[in-house]
Short mmCIF file of all heavy atoms in Angstrom, two decimals:
data_model
loop_
_atom_site.label_atom_id
_atom_site.label_comp_id
_atom_site.label_asym_id
_atom_site.label_seq_id
_atom_site.Cartn_x
_atom_site.Cartn_y
_atom_site.Cartn_z
N VAL A 242 -2.69 14.34 -10.42
CA VAL A 242 -2.69 14.50 -8.98
C VAL A 242 -1.34 14.00 -8.52
O VAL A 242 -0.87 12.97 -9.00
CB VAL A 242 -3.81 13.64 -8.34
CG1 VAL A 242 -3.84 13.87 -6.85
CG2 VAL A 242 -5.14 13.98 -8.96
N ASP A 243 -0.72 14.72 -7.62
CA ASP A 243 0.56 14.24 -7.11
C ASP A 243 0.37 12.87 -6.51
O ASP A 243 -0.58 12.64 -5.77
CB ASP A 243 1.07 15.19 -6.02
CG ASP A 243 1.54 16.49 -6.64
OD1 ASP A 243 1.93 16.46 -7.81
OD2 ASP A 243 1.52 17.51 -5.94
N LYS A 244 1.25 11.95 -6.84
CA LYS A 244 1.12 10.61 -6.30
C LYS A 244 1.82 10.48 -4.96
O LYS A 244 1.61 9.56 -4.21
CB LYS A 244 1.67 9.59 -7.29
CG LYS A 244 0.81 9.51 -8.53
CD LYS A 244 0.99 8.17 -9.23
CE LYS A 244 0.01 8.01 -10.37
NZ LYS A 244 0.23 8.98 -11.44
N SER A 245 2.71 11.43 -4.68
CA SER A 245 3.36 11.37 -3.39
C SER A 245 3.83 12.77 -3.03
O SER A 245 3.92 13.64 -3.88
CB SER A 245 4.56 10.43 -3.44
OG SER A 245 5.59 10.99 -4.21
N LEU A 246 4.06 12.99 -1.75
CA LEU A 246 4.69 14.24 -1.37
C LEU A 246 5.62 13.98 -0.21
O LEU A 246 5.36 13.10 0.62
CB LEU A 246 3.67 15.34 -1.09
CG LEU A 246 2.53 15.13 -0.13
CD1 LEU A 246 2.95 15.52 1.27
CD2 LEU A 246 1.38 16.02 -0.54
N GLY A 247 6.71 14.72 -0.20
CA GLY A 247 7.70 14.43 0.82
C GLY A 247 8.51 15.65 1.16
O GLY A 247 8.38 16.70 0.55
N SER A 248 9.35 15.49 2.15
CA SER A 248 10.19 16.57 2.62
C SER A 248 11.49 15.95 3.10
O SER A 248 11.47 14.88 3.70
CB SER A 248 9.46 17.28 3.76
OG SER A 248 9.96 18.57 3.91
N GLU A 249 12.59 16.59 2.81
CA GLU A 249 13.86 16.02 3.26
C GLU A 249 14.82 17.12 3.64
O GLU A 249 14.65 18.28 3.29
CB GLU A 249 14.47 15.13 2.18
CG GLU A 249 14.85 15.88 0.92
CD GLU A 249 15.41 14.94 -0.16
OE1 GLU A 249 14.81 13.87 -0.38
OE2 GLU A 249 16.44 15.28 -0.75
N THR A 250 15.82 16.76 4.42
CA THR A 250 16.79 17.74 4.86
C THR A 250 18.17 17.11 4.96
O THR A 250 18.30 15.93 5.28
CB THR A 250 16.37 18.37 6.20
OG1 THR A 250 17.24 19.46 6.47
CG2 THR A 250 16.45 17.39 7.34
N THR A 251 19.17 17.91 4.65
CA THR A 251 20.55 17.46 4.80
C THR A 251 21.09 18.09 6.08
O THR A 251 20.91 19.28 6.31
CB THR A 251 21.40 17.95 3.62
OG1 THR A 251 20.79 17.50 2.42
CG2 THR A 251 22.81 17.40 3.70
N PHE A 252 21.73 17.26 6.91
CA PHE A 252 22.22 17.78 8.19
C PHE A 252 23.49 18.60 8.02
O PHE A 252 24.30 18.33 7.12
CB PHE A 252 22.51 16.63 9.15
CG PHE A 252 21.29 15.84 9.51
CD1 PHE A 252 21.16 14.52 9.14
CD2 PHE A 252 20.27 16.44 10.24
CE1 PHE A 252 20.03 13.80 9.46
CE2 PHE A 252 19.14 15.71 10.58
CZ PHE A 252 19.02 14.39 10.19
N GLU A 253 23.66 19.56 8.91
CA GLU A 253 24.87 20.37 8.93
C GLU A 253 26.09 19.48 9.16
O GLU A 253 27.09 19.59 8.49
CB GLU A 253 24.72 21.39 10.07
CG GLU A 253 25.61 22.59 9.96
CD GLU A 253 25.23 23.48 8.77
OE1 GLU A 253 24.03 23.67 8.50
OE2 GLU A 253 26.15 23.94 8.12
N THR A 254 25.97 18.59 10.14
CA THR A 254 26.99 17.54 10.35
C THR A 254 26.22 16.24 10.50
O THR A 254 25.08 16.25 10.97
CB THR A 254 27.82 17.78 11.62
OG1 THR A 254 26.90 17.99 12.69
CG2 THR A 254 28.72 18.98 11.49
N ASP A 255 26.84 15.14 10.14
CA ASP A 255 26.15 13.85 10.19
C ASP A 255 25.62 13.58 11.59
O ASP A 255 26.28 13.89 12.58
CB ASP A 255 27.11 12.72 9.78
CG ASP A 255 27.54 12.88 8.33
OD1 ASP A 255 26.92 13.70 7.63
OD2 ASP A 255 28.48 12.20 7.91
N VAL A 256 24.44 12.97 11.66
CA VAL A 256 23.79 12.76 12.95
C VAL A 256 23.60 11.28 13.22
O VAL A 256 23.12 10.54 12.35
CB VAL A 256 22.41 13.46 12.97
CG1 VAL A 256 21.66 13.12 14.26
CG2 VAL A 256 22.57 14.97 12.84
N ALA A 257 23.99 10.84 14.41
CA ALA A 257 23.79 9.45 14.81
C ALA A 257 22.81 9.35 15.97
O ALA A 257 22.19 8.32 16.19
CB ALA A 257 25.12 8.81 15.20
N ASP A 258 22.64 10.46 16.70
CA ASP A 258 21.83 10.45 17.91
C ASP A 258 20.35 10.20 17.58
O ASP A 258 19.72 10.96 16.86
CB ASP A 258 22.00 11.79 18.62
CG ASP A 258 21.12 11.88 19.85
OD1 ASP A 258 20.97 10.85 20.54
OD2 ASP A 258 20.55 12.97 20.10
N ALA A 259 19.81 9.11 18.15
CA ALA A 259 18.45 8.69 17.83
C ALA A 259 17.44 9.77 18.22
O ALA A 259 16.47 10.03 17.50
CB ALA A 259 18.11 7.38 18.53
N GLU A 260 17.69 10.44 19.33
CA GLU A 260 16.76 11.46 19.82
C GLU A 260 16.71 12.65 18.85
O GLU A 260 15.65 13.14 18.50
CB GLU A 260 17.21 11.91 21.23
CG GLU A 260 16.10 12.41 22.11
CD GLU A 260 14.76 11.70 21.91
OE1 GLU A 260 14.65 10.45 22.05
OE2 GLU A 260 13.81 12.42 21.57
N ALA A 261 17.89 13.05 18.40
CA ALA A 261 17.96 14.17 17.46
C ALA A 261 17.27 13.79 16.15
O ALA A 261 16.54 14.59 15.55
CB ALA A 261 19.41 14.55 17.20
N LEU A 262 17.47 12.55 15.72
CA LEU A 262 16.83 12.10 14.48
C LEU A 262 15.32 12.09 14.64
O LEU A 262 14.59 12.47 13.74
CB LEU A 262 17.34 10.70 14.10
CG LEU A 262 18.75 10.66 13.54
CD1 LEU A 262 19.21 9.22 13.34
CD2 LEU A 262 18.83 11.41 12.21
N ARG A 263 14.88 11.64 15.81
CA ARG A 263 13.42 11.62 16.06
C ARG A 263 12.83 13.02 15.91
O ARG A 263 11.77 13.19 15.32
CB ARG A 263 13.13 11.11 17.47
CG ARG A 263 13.21 9.61 17.63
CD ARG A 263 13.09 9.25 19.09
NE ARG A 263 11.75 9.54 19.60
CZ ARG A 263 10.77 8.66 19.61
NH1 ARG A 263 10.96 7.44 19.16
NH2 ARG A 263 9.60 8.98 20.08
N ARG A 264 13.54 14.00 16.44
CA ARG A 264 13.03 15.38 16.34
C ARG A 264 12.94 15.81 14.89
O ARG A 264 11.98 16.44 14.47
CB ARG A 264 13.93 16.34 17.14
CG ARG A 264 13.59 16.39 18.62
CD ARG A 264 14.18 17.64 19.27
NE ARG A 264 15.62 17.68 19.14
CZ ARG A 264 16.45 17.11 20.00
NH1 ARG A 264 15.98 16.47 21.05
NH2 ARG A 264 17.75 17.17 19.82
N THR A 265 13.99 15.49 14.13
CA THR A 265 13.97 15.88 12.72
C THR A 265 12.84 15.16 11.98
O THR A 265 12.13 15.76 11.17
CB THR A 265 15.32 15.54 12.07
OG1 THR A 265 16.34 16.17 12.82
CG2 THR A 265 15.36 16.04 10.64
N ILE A 266 12.66 13.87 12.30
CA ILE A 266 11.60 13.11 11.62
C ILE A 266 10.23 13.69 11.98
O ILE A 266 9.36 13.81 11.13
CB ILE A 266 11.69 11.61 12.00
CG1 ILE A 266 12.98 11.01 11.46
CG2 ILE A 266 10.49 10.85 11.45
CD1 ILE A 266 13.27 9.61 11.97
N LEU A 267 10.09 14.09 13.22
CA LEU A 267 8.81 14.68 13.64
C LEU A 267 8.55 15.96 12.85
O LEU A 267 7.45 16.19 12.34
CB LEU A 267 8.83 14.97 15.15
CG LEU A 267 7.58 15.67 15.72
CD1 LEU A 267 6.34 14.86 15.44
CD2 LEU A 267 7.73 15.90 17.21
N TRP A 268 9.58 16.75 12.73
CA TRP A 268 9.47 18.02 12.02
C TRP A 268 9.12 17.79 10.54
O TRP A 268 8.23 18.43 10.00
CB TRP A 268 10.80 18.76 12.19
CG TRP A 268 10.95 20.04 11.47
CD1 TRP A 268 10.21 21.17 11.66
CD2 TRP A 268 11.91 20.32 10.45
NE1 TRP A 268 10.68 22.15 10.82
CE2 TRP A 268 11.72 21.67 10.07
CE3 TRP A 268 12.93 19.59 9.85
CZ2 TRP A 268 12.49 22.28 9.09
CZ3 TRP A 268 13.70 20.21 8.88
CH2 TRP A 268 13.48 21.53 8.50
N LEU A 269 9.81 16.84 9.92
CA LEU A 269 9.53 16.51 8.52
C LEU A 269 8.11 15.94 8.37
O LEU A 269 7.38 16.28 7.45
CB LEU A 269 10.56 15.51 7.98
CG LEU A 269 12.00 16.02 7.85
CD1 LEU A 269 12.94 14.87 7.52
CD2 LEU A 269 12.10 17.10 6.79
N SER A 270 7.73 15.06 9.32
CA SER A 270 6.41 14.43 9.26
C SER A 270 5.33 15.49 9.33
O SER A 270 4.30 15.40 8.66
CB SER A 270 6.23 13.44 10.41
OG SER A 270 7.22 12.46 10.38
N GLN A 271 5.58 16.51 10.16
CA GLN A 271 4.59 17.57 10.28
C GLN A 271 4.44 18.33 8.99
O GLN A 271 3.34 18.69 8.59
CB GLN A 271 5.03 18.53 11.37
CG GLN A 271 4.75 17.96 12.73
CD GLN A 271 4.63 19.07 13.73
OE1 GLN A 271 5.50 19.91 13.80
NE2 GLN A 271 3.57 19.08 14.49
N GLN A 272 5.57 18.60 8.34
CA GLN A 272 5.50 19.33 7.07
C GLN A 272 4.70 18.52 6.06
O GLN A 272 3.86 19.07 5.35
CB GLN A 272 6.90 19.56 6.54
CG GLN A 272 7.71 20.46 7.44
CD GLN A 272 8.90 21.02 6.70
OE1 GLN A 272 9.45 20.36 5.83
NE2 GLN A 272 9.28 22.23 7.01
N VAL A 273 4.99 17.23 6.00
CA VAL A 273 4.32 16.37 5.03
C VAL A 273 2.83 16.31 5.33
O VAL A 273 1.99 16.47 4.45
CB VAL A 273 4.94 14.95 5.05
CG1 VAL A 273 4.09 13.99 4.24
CG2 VAL A 273 6.36 15.00 4.49
N ALA A 274 2.49 16.11 6.60
CA ALA A 274 1.09 15.97 6.97
C ALA A 274 0.32 17.27 6.72
O ALA A 274 -0.81 17.25 6.24
CB ALA A 274 0.97 15.56 8.44
N THR A 275 0.95 18.39 7.03
CA THR A 275 0.29 19.67 6.84
C THR A 275 -0.01 19.88 5.36
O THR A 275 -1.11 20.30 4.98
CB THR A 275 1.17 20.81 7.36
OG1 THR A 275 1.55 20.51 8.69
CG2 THR A 275 0.44 22.12 7.33
N ARG A 276 0.96 19.55 4.53
CA ARG A 276 0.75 19.72 3.09
C ARG A 276 -0.32 18.76 2.57
O ARG A 276 -1.11 19.11 1.71
CB ARG A 276 2.06 19.52 2.34
CG ARG A 276 2.98 20.73 2.46
CD ARG A 276 4.35 20.46 1.90
NE ARG A 276 4.31 20.01 0.52
CZ ARG A 276 5.22 19.22 -0.03
NH1 ARG A 276 6.23 18.78 0.70
NH2 ARG A 276 5.14 18.88 -1.28
#
Side-chain angles (χ1 to χ4, degrees):
Chain A
V242 183
D243 288 334
K244 292 203 173 65
S245 71
L246 53 89
S248 202
E249 64 182 45
T250 189
T251 305
F252 296 115
E253 200 67 40
T254 51
D255 296 348
V256 174
D258 177 38
E260 208 34 58
L262 286 174
R263 281 172 68 92
R264 276 198 300 273
T265 305
I266 295 170
L267 177 58
W268 176 63
L269 293 171
S270 302
Q271 283 204 309
Q272 295 198 327
V273 169
T275 307
R276 283 172 56 208

